[in-house]
C-alpha cells in the first residue's frame, strides 16, 4: 500500500425527525417544507416508497414483492399502481391535490411507517446534508417542529471512483439486515453494502456515542448534551498501491477505447474489461480494476433514482467487479495448464516434437488457428515453441493423450474452478471442464485443452495461476488486506479477521490435492512464455520488443456467444522480471478481438510498476496486425 486514504470520514450534517404532539395536517405540511428546503439545496432524502408517478408504476420489479406489499398494506391484489397510490394517500390523510407534492410527503410518511419513531427515537431523513440546509433548519427551528440537525461523520471517497469495486459502497441498513443486528445497530444506521465496506463492516463501524436532547412539547429542541463519547472504527489497510491502481484503471479504459476506435487496425465493439496485478510470492493484490466503474460517493446519503437506474440499466454492469465476480472463457492463456499437466503426467517430454499440419486428425478434425488464414500448420514443434506460437494442435494432442481427469486435476491445483478466498463478496468459483458436468464425450477434450469448452475463470483466478507458475508451483492465497488497525493503534490479529471474513463470505477450505511440481517442467513453460514476448515469432513480440525488462507472457483470444452474438474475448497474462518474477499482470477485455491488443495494457501497467517512462516504449506501428482464433 502507498499510505493513501481511499475512503475516510469527514464531519457532515444529518437531519432527524422526532415524533411530537402535532396533528396530521401539520406533520404533512412540515414534511413538505422540509423536502422543499432539501431540494432547494440539492440534498437527497430517504425515499423507499415503491410507486412512482408520471407515469404511475411500481419500482418493485418482482411480482411476488408487489403482491406482498399490497397484502402488508391491506390493498386489493388487483389494484393498479395509481389506485395503490391513492389508497396510501388516504391512509396518511394527505390533502395536497398536487400528486408530486403528495408523493414527496408519502416518501417520509412511508419511512416513518417502516422504521418507526417516537419522542425519544428519531428517523433520519437526510444524511450528508449541505451546510445551507443545516443553517435553515437551525435558524428557523420553530417552523420545523421535531426536526434536529446532527453533526456526524460522513463517508468520503477521496478519489471518487478509484478502486470502487474493491472499496465498495454503503447504504442505510435494510430490515432483513437489522433483524440479526438489533443489539449493535438501529434502523437509521448506515452499513457497508459491497466490497471491503461490507466484509469489514464490524471493524469499520466503531461504537456509537449517546446524546440527550431537551425538547419542548411542541417539538422545539432547546438543548443537547453528550452523555457518552463515540469511538471511531478501525482502519483497514489494503495491499493496493493507489498510484498503480490509478494507472491500471486508466490503461484499461484507454485500451478499450483504442480497440473500439480501431486503433489496432480492426474495430471491435467493446465496452468492458478487467485487470489484476498480483505479487507472485505473497498473493498481495497491488491493483484490481473493473470497467465500467461507478462512484461510491453516489450512494452516500442515499443514491438518487436516476443514478440507480443509470447504473442498474447499463448492460455492461458497472456495479459488478468483473475481476473477481465474473468468469470468462480463458482461451489460450489456459494452455500452460495443459502443458504442465502433460509434462507432469509424462504424456509428453520437454524435448518431444509434435507435428502440426494445421488439422488435428481426430474427432471433428479441429484446426489450428494458423490454418484458417494460411492452410498450413506450425510444423514440428516442442512444448516451449507450442506456447510461443500458441499451437492448438500441440495442445489437442497432449490433452487427448492424458484425458480430462488429469487436466481437471492440474487446473484445480493451480486455483482454477475454486474461489481464491479474497476478502471480497460474491467471488465466482469459475468452471473447470470436467466429465462430471454431464454429456461428456472424448472429442470435448480438444476444446478443453485450449481453454475453450466449459472452462470459465475470473481474471483474479488467472492471476493466481500465473503467479503459481512463476513461484515454483507453490500455492498462494490472494489477499487485498494488509492489516486492520484499531482506534488505539493496536493491530487486529490476522487469524481473527481472517476467520471472520471466511464466516461472512461462507468460505470453506477447498479439498485440492497437494502437489510438488517439477521445477524443470515449469522452466520449460516459462521459457515458452518468454518467447511470446522475446522472439520475433512470438504472439506478443511487437508489443514488448523494445521493453527494457524481460517479460514472460501469453496471449489469449476466446470465441464466445453472448446474447446470440459472436464475441472474441481478449486476454493477456504476463509476469516480470523474467529472471526473478515479482508481479503477474492479467488484462481481460470483453470482445477485445485479440489477446495481442490486451498485451499493450499489460506492458503499460508493468512500466508504471517498474518506474519506467512509458513514452519511451516504442510501438512498431508498421507491424502487421497479428490475428488468431481459439487462442
Amino acid at each position: 500500500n502507498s499510505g493513501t486514504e481511499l475512503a475516510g470520514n469527514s464531519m457532515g450534517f444529518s437531519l432527524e425527525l422526532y415524533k411530537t404532539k402535532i396533528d396530521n395536517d401539520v406533520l404533512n405540511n412540515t414534511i413538505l417544507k422540509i423536502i422543499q428546503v432539501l431540494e432547494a439545496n440539492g440534498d437527497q432524502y430517504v425515499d423507499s416508497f415503491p410507486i412512482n408517478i408520471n407515469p404511475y408504476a411500481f419500482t418493485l420489479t418482482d411480482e411476488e414483492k408487489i403482491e406482498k406489499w399490497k397484502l402488508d398494506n391491506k390493498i386489493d391484489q388487483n389494484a393498479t399502481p395509481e389506485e395503490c397510490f391513492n389508497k396510501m394517500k388516504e391512509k396518511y390523510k394527505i390533502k395536497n391535490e398536487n400528486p408530486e407534492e403528495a408523493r414527496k410527503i408519502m416518501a417520509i410518511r412511508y419511512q416513518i411507517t417502516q422504521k418507526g419513531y417516537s419522542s425519544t427515537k428519531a428517523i433520519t431523513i437526510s444524511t450528508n446534508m449541505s451546510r445551507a440546509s443545516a443553517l435553515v433548519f437551525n435558524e428557523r427551528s420553530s417552523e420545523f417542529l421535531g426536526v434536529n440537525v446532527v453533526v456526524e461523520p460522513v463517508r468520503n471517497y477521496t478519489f471518487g471512483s478509484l478502486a470502487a469495486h474493491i472499496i465498495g459502497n454503503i447504504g442505510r441498513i435494510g430490515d432483513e439486515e437489522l433483524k440479526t443486528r438489533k443489539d449493535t445497530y438501529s434502523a437509521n444506521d448506515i452499513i457497508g453494502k459491497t466490497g471491503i465496506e461490507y466484509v469489514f463492516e464490524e471493524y469499520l463501524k466503531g461504537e456509537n456515542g449517546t446524546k440527550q436532547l431537551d425538547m419542548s412539547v411542541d417539538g422545539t429542541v432547546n438543548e443537547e448534551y453528550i452523555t457518552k463519547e463515540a469511538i471511531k472504527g478501525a482502519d483497514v489497510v489494503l495491499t493496493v498501491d493507489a498510484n498503480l491502481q490509478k494507472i491500471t484503471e486508466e490503461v484499461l479504459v484507454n485500451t478499450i477505447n483504442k480497440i473500439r476506435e480501431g486503433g489496432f487496425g480492426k474495430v471491435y465493439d467493446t465496452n468492458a474489461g478487467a485487470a489484476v496485478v498480483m505479487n507472485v510470492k505473497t498473493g498481495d493484490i497491488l491493483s484490481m480494476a473493473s470497467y465500467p466503474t461507478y462512484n461510491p460517493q453516489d450512494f452516500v446519503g442515499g443514491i438518487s433514482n436516476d443514478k440507480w437506474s443509470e447504473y442498474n440499466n447499463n448492460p455492461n454492469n458497472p456495479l459488478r467487479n468483473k475481476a473477481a465476480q465474473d468468469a470468462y472463457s480463458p482461451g489460450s492463456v489456459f494452455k500452460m495448464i495443459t502443458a504442465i499437466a502433460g509434462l507432469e503426467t509424462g504424456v509428453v517430454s520437454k524435448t518431444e516434437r509434435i507435428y502440426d499440419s494445421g488439422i488435428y486428425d481426430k474427432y471433428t478434425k479441429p484446426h489450428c488457428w494458423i490454418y484458417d488464414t494460411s492452410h498450413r500448420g506450425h510444423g514440428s514443434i516442442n512444448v516451449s515453441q507450442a506456447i510461443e506460437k500458441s499451437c492448438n494442435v500441440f495442445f489437442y494432442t497432449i490433452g487427448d493423450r492424458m484425458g480430462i481427469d488429469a487436466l481437471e486435476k492440474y487446473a484445480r491445483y493451480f486455483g482454477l474452478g475454486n474461489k481464491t478466498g479474497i476478502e471480497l463478496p460474491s467471488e465466482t468459483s469459475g468452471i473447470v471442464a470436467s466429465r462430471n458436468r454431464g454429456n461428456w464425450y472424448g472429442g470435448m477434450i480438444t476444446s478443453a485443452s485450449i481453454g475453450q469448452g466449459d472452462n470459465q475463470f475470473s481474471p483474479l483466478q488467472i492471476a493466481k495461476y500465473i503467479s503459481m507458475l512463476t513461484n515454483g508451483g507453490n500455492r498462494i492465497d490472494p489477499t487485498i488486506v494488509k492489516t486492520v488497525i484499531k482506534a488505539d493503534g493496536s493491530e487486529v490479529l490476522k487469524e481473527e479477521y481472517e476467520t471472520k471474513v471466511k464466516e461472512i463470505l461462507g468460505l470453506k477450505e477447498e479439498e485440492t490435492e497437494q502437489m510438488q511440481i517439477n521445477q524443470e517442467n515449469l522452466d520449460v513453460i516459462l521459457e515458452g512464455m518468454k518467447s511470446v514476448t522475446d522472439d520475433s515469432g512470438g504472439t506478443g513480440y511487437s508489443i514488448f520488443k523494445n521493453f527494457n525488462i524481460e517479460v514472460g507472457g501469453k496471449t489469449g483470444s476466446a470465441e464466445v456467444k453472448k446474447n446470440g452474438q459472436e464475441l472474441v474475448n481478449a486476454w493477456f497474462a504476463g509476469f516480470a522480471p523474467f529472471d526473478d518474477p515479482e508481479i503477474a499482470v492479467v488484462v481481460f477485455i470483453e470482445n477485445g478481438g485479440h489477446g495481442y491488443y490486451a498485451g499493450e495494457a499489460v506492458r503499460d501497467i508493468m512500466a508504471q510498476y517498474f518506474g519506467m517512462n512509458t513514452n519511451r516504449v516504442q510501438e512498431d506501428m508498421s507491424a502487421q496486425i497479428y490475428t488468431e482464433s481459439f487462442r
Side-chain angles (χ1 to χ4, degrees), residues 501-518:
V501 166
K502 286 176 181 174
E503 190 180 304
I504 289 165
L505 299 180
L507 295 173
K508 295 174 184 174
E509 292 297 325
E510 298 284 355
E511 292 183 16
T512 307
E513 184 180 334
Q514 291 300 313
M515 298 185 193
Q516 190 68 43
I517 307 295
N518 185 314

Side-chain angles (χ1 to χ4, degrees), residues 84 129 182 282:
C84 291
M129 183 175 65
K182 281 185 175 173
T282 64

Side-chain angles (χ1 to χ4, degrees), residues 73-349:
N73 289 281
K74 298 175 181 171
I75 296 174
D76 186 272
Q77 287 295 324
N78 296 317
T80 64
E82 184 175 1
E83 287 168 344
C84 291
F85 179 87
N86 289 328
K87 283 284 184 186
M88 296 302 284
K89 186 179 171 187
E90 287 175 25
K91 176 181 177 179
Y92 296 132
K93 298 177 181 174
I94 298 170
K95 295 178 181 176
N96 301 61
E97 293 301 324
N98 183 325
E100 290 182 0
E101 288 186 352
R103 172 68 181 72
K104 290 172 185 177
I105 296 168
M106 220 172 282
I108 306 304
R109 292 297 302 267
Y110 185 70
Q111 186 74 4
I112 292 170
T113 305
Q114 296 298 106
K115 301 292 183 183
Y117 77 149
S118 69
S119 59
T120 57
K121 176 193 166 192
I123 62 156
T124 300
I125 291 177
S126 179
T127 56
N128 200 22
M129 183 175 65
S130 65
R131 181 174 291 276
S133 291
L135 286 172
V136 171
F137 293 124
N138 279 331
E139 290 172 0
R140 293 161 50 192
S141 59
S142 60
E143 297 176 39
F144 299 98
L145 302 177
V147 166
N148 182 46
V149 175
V150 182
V151 180
E152 62 181 10
V154 173
R155 204 57 158 165
N156 274 325
Y157 297 93
T158 319
F159 298 97
S161 63
L162 187 71
H165 296 97
I166 297 170
I167 300 166
N169 59 65
I170 60 172
R172 193 170 302 281
I173 191 167
D175 294 339
E176 290 302 312
E177 293 165 315
L178 187 59
K179 282 178 185 175
T180 57
R181 306 188 189 198
K182 281 185 175 173
D183 294 342
T184 48
Y185 289 82
S186 70
N188 291 320
D189 278 338
I190 303 296
I191 65 166
K193 296 287 188 176
T194 63
I196 293 294
E197 294 275 27
Y198 167 78
V199 179
F200 285 82
E201 165 65 28
E202 184 177 329
Y203 294 103
L204 292 165
K205 179 183 185 295
E207 293 180 29
N208 291 334
T210 306
K211 180 174 68 178
Q212 183 175 316
L213 295 180
D214 277 355
M215 185 182 288
S216 61
V217 175
D218 67 359
T220 305
V221 176
N222 298 319
E223 208 165 350
E224 56 184 62
Y225 316 88
I226 301 293
T227 55
K228 180 189 171 188
E229 292 290 346
I231 299 173
K232 82 182 237 9
D235 292 332
V236 177
V237 183
L238 304 179
T239 58
V240 172
D241 179 287
N243 294 325
L244 187 63
Q245 178 71 27
K246 182 172 182 287
I247 292 296
T248 301
E249 292 185 15
E250 288 175 357
V251 165
L252 181 63
V253 174
N254 291 342
T255 305
I256 287 170
N257 289 339
K258 184 173 178 178
I259 293 169
R260 194 170 58 246
E261 291 162 9
F264 290 97
K266 186 175 178 182
V267 174
Y268 287 87
D269 184 20
T270 176
N271 292 288
V276 178
V277 181
M278 183 183 290
N279 180 312
V280 302
K281 298 180 172 100
T282 64
D284 285 0
I285 302 298
L286 306 179
S287 65
M288 178 190 285
S290 181
Y291 180 83
T293 189
Y294 73 100
N295 190 343
Q297 200 70 46
D298 291 334
F299 289 84
V300 176
I303 188 166
S304 70
N305 287 334
D306 288 347
K307 184 57 75 170
W308 175 249
S309 294
E310 179 190 321
Y311 286 146
N312 228 20
N313 296 331
N314 185 327
N316 295 302
N317 299 317
L319 298 176
R320 285 189 71 78
N321 180 356
K322 294 174 178 60
Q325 291 182 335
D326 292 334
Y328 308 90
S329 180
S332 293
V333 293
F334 180 81
K335 284 176 177 170
M336 290 82 75
I337 291 288
T338 309
I340 196 68
L343 290 166
E344 288 286 312
T345 56
V347 301
V348 68
S349 71

